Each structure stands twice: as C-alpha cells, then as structure tokens.
C-alpha cells in the first residue's frame, strides 16, 4: 500500500470515528435515545417529514434544543482550539506551543470575565463584547509573553516561552479570582465559566462560533504554503519573498481570534490545542494543507468525546469538561516536555 492509499485509509477512518462520536453524543446521556429516533427527529426538523407515533414530543425537544446544539458547539470549539494550536506550533516552531501553554487562553478568559463581571454576558451587547474582549486580551497576552521570552532567550526557546506563558497564566488566574471575589453576585457564574461547560448554550452561540471557525480556517488555508516554508526557517522564507514578520503576526492574530471566540462562550478548556496537532502530524505528516483541516476534524472529535465523558461518567451529576481534558492532556504535555528535553540533550 503506497503513501497516498495509507493516507486515504486513515482519513476515512478519522471521518468514520467522527460520525460515530457525533451520533453517540446525540444518543448517550441521562436518557438514552435509540439512534433511529435521532434520525427521525432530524428528518422532521430539517425536511418536515412526519414523526412516527413511537417518537415522543419530549424526545424532539431533547435532541433539537439540548443535545444537538451541545454536540455541535463542542465540535466547533474543539476544532477552533485544535487549529489555533497547530498554527502556533508552526509559527513559533515550538512543539509545546499552544493557546494554553503560552497564556492566550488565560488572557482571553480574563477579557470574557470582565464582561461577565458587568452582568451583561447574557444580553445582545454581552454576546458581542465577550468575543471582542477575549480576542483583545488574548492578543495582549501573547504579545507580552513573546516580548518577555525574547529578553530571556533571543531564539524564543521551548522552555523560555512556555515558562513565561505559565507565569502569565498564573498571574491572570489570580486576577480572575480577584474579580470573582469582588463580584459576589457573579462569582458562581465566573467559577462555572473557569471550569468550562457546553451546557445550556443555544443555537445563537453555535452559529457565532461556527461562523467564526469557517471564516478563520478559510483565511488560514490561504497561508498553508507560507506556513510550510516557515517551518524551514525565517531565512529560507525571506529568500523566496515572504514577509516573515507580517506573515507570522497575521497567523498569530488569526489563531488568537479562534481561541478568543471559543473561550468567550464556553470557558477555559485546555490541552485540546496541544494534543490534536501532534496526533495529526504523527499520522498525516506536516503539510499544512492536511494539518489545518484534519486538526479541526480531530479536535472536534476529541472535544465531543471529552464532553460525553463529562456528562455521563458521574451521571446524573456532570463534570466540568475542562477537568476531563486536563486529566487527559496533562500527562500528554509531560510526555512531550520530557521527549523534547531528551531531544535537546542529544543535539548538544
């Protein structure tokens, strides 16, 4: 079997796993729903085909108003974070870089928390301001992280930028806790938001995040050749006419926007942006025309899986989805950190 056939087989397998996981997200829960009932409800809502008598009206509401928006939102948020991580790792040439490890998620979270603290997060104005504030604060955080890391190491080494990002994350988390303590009326909402959740998010949020994801991924796909060239070094990129500084900052801005929109509506969910790009590069190679869309697909699959665990493992109680991703992602991060350190030692 040649390389093209193997890649095609793996792609079919990934798509099949994604479809199965989406269907499991709709059928598995506090109340299990037969898969044929799910198809009947979808046909009824999308095509107007009459429901069979054995499908209850409550099932329609459960699938269409609760589970389907939740599953779709978890998928697009996972996709957004995964694509953001794949771009940051490529631009910074750092296998440990992600929105979480360099503090972007924490910065975006602070922006969203500020809006929540004013008590307008559920209003139309709040729906607009939350992603705006999240993007702005996320961008400010990554700029600050890179400036400080540049002073520590002119080459932006793996350890310096990760260390600076972690320090900023701790500092920003302390600021968020201060805001929570000063806003007792919103403290519970802020706490839930910090832990991450897809519960009780409607179709409006799904539409906003999905629209942002499609637009930003299309912009990033326009730059896949530039990202491929940048992986060989700034000098090679400059030699063929790429404006390295402008291209890097444009890509960082787009990836930060992806993180900001996702974080603004569902809270801080970590490690998806670190895990997904590594898995895709391992099985599909490093060409960004594959890495970007397939990271989106795997990130969405992984997030739906994580949310399914969060709402079923302790049913009828529900774990924060951020806790589930952290439990799976922290060991993965430790593995990458140790592997990268061993590689550096071999090179010396």
């Amino acid at each position: 079997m040649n390389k093209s056939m193997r890649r095609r087989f793996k792609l079919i397998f990934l798509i099949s796993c994604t479809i199965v996981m989406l269907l499991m997200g709709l059928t598995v829960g506090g109340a299990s729903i037969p898969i044929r009932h799910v198809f009947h409800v979808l046909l009824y809502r999308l095509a107007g085909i009459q429901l069979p008598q054995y499908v209850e009206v409550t099932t329609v509401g459960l699938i269409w108003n609760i589970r389907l928006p939740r599953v779709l939102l978890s998928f697009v948020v996972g996709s957004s974070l995964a694509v953001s991580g794949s771009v940051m790792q490529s631009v910074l040439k750092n296998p440990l870089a992600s929105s979480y490890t360099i503090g972007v998620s924490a910065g975006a979270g602070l922006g969203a928390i500020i809006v929540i603290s004013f008590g307008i997060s559920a209003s139309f104005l709040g729906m607009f301001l939350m992603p705006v504030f999240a993007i702005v604060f996320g961008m400010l955080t990554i700029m600050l992280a890179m400036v400080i890391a540049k002073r520590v190491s002119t080459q932006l080494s793996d350890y310096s930028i990760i260390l600076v990002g972690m320090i900023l994350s701790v500092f920003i988390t302390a600021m968020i806790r201060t805001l929570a303590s000063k806003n007792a009326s919103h403290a519970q909402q802020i706490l839930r938001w910090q832990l991450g959740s897809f519960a009780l998010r409607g179709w409006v949020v799904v539409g906003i995040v999905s629209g942002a994801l499609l637009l930003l991924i299309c912009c990033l796909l326009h730059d896949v050749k530039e990202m491929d060239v940048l992986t060989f070094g700034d000098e090679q990129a400059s030699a063929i006419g790429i404006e390295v500084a402008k291209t890097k900052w444009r890509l960082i801005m787009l990836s930060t926007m992806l993180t900001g929109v996702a974080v603004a509506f569902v809270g801080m969910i970590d490690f998806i942006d670190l895990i997904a790009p590594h898995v895709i590069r391992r099985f599909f190679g490093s060409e960004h025309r594959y890495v970007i869309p397939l990271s989106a697909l795997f990130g969405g699959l992984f997030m739906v899986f994580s949310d399914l665990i969060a709402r079923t493992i302790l049913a009828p109680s529900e774990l924060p989805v951020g806790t589930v991703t952290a439990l799976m992602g922290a060991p993965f991060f430790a593995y990458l950190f140790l592997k990268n350190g061993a590689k550096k030692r071999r090179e010396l």
Side-chain angles (χ1 to χ4, degrees), residues 163-182:
L163 179 61
V164 171
M166 291 298 185
I167 292 171
L168 288 176
S169 294
V170 171
F171 178 72
I172 292 170
T173 300
M175 294 177 66
I176 291 173
R177 288 175 179 171
T178 301
L179 284 173
S181 65
K182 294 294 184 180

Side-chain angles (χ1 to χ4, degrees), residues 241-252:
I242 294 177
E243 296 181 273
V244 174
K246 288 184 178 180
T247 301
K248 280 188 172 184
W249 278 109
R250 182 174 69 252
L251 292 171
I252 288 173

